[in-house]
Amino acid sequence: QVVANPEQYIKHPLQNRWALWYFKNDKTKSWTENLRLISKFDTVEDFWALYNHIQQPSKLNYGCDYCLFKDGIKPMWEDERNKLGGRWLITLNRQQRHNDLDRYWMETLLCLVGESFDEASEDVCGAVVNVRPKGDKLAIWTSNCQNRDAIMTIGQLYKERLSLPMKALIGYQSHDDTSSKSGSTTKNMYSV
Amino acid sequence: GTRIIYDRKFLLDCRNSP
């Protein structure tokens, strides 16, 4: 009697169900109309099926975004689980679109679906990649900008996973500051 | 409680397995 090995047919469950959103920059439509849910997944296999199926960020048009958020959290500041939070922001220069953008984005997704930030993974809401002419941006959003320990853990591990040089500081900004900023720059609450 | 974590090597290996 042959007993099949479950390892071969059972999909590997993720800790969370995730939703991948796509934002298309269509000036004729409202912001929320331009935000579209692509698909949700909760296994490793379904993550790769989706990831392998869609365009890489470097191929998107200017003004477009990908957002991966835990199921039930909308990729916007106003969401209940975002409004008290903030984001670790990584700004890329133009050359990095060719060299780094796609691999940084994949690494970001692996960090999220793999729950790579120990207990601090609880604080993660999602991640966003913005494709912009002046320079692309990557960010990991967390739920509470006062949770310093969790935020610092996420920032340090994220920097390591992207192999960013130690001297290249990245900053964490609260959504509150970002949404109410007067000048072009938002002050950082933390940096690492 | 327990947390289901996957390291990057495992995730990348899964990408290539049929």
Side-chain angles (χ1 to χ4, degrees), chain A residues 117-169:
Chain A
F117 303 118
D118 306 323
E119 291 77 22
S121 298
E122 294 291 321
D123 274 55
V124 171
C125 294
V128 178
V129 57
N130 310 115
V131 179
R132 298 294 182 274
K134 293 196 301 295
D136 304 322
K137 290 179 282 187
L138 287 155
I140 287 185
W141 289 28
T142 74
S143 56
N144 186 336
C145 61
Q146 300 304 330
N147 290 357
R148 187 183 189 288
D149 293 344
I151 290 168
M152 293 308 282
T153 298
I154 293 168
Q156 278 144 4
L157 290 172
Y158 189 33
K159 237 182 118 169
E160 274 168 35
R161 281 290 288 267
L162 298 184
S163 331
L164 296 181
M166 286 312 289
K167 60 176 174 41
L169 286 184

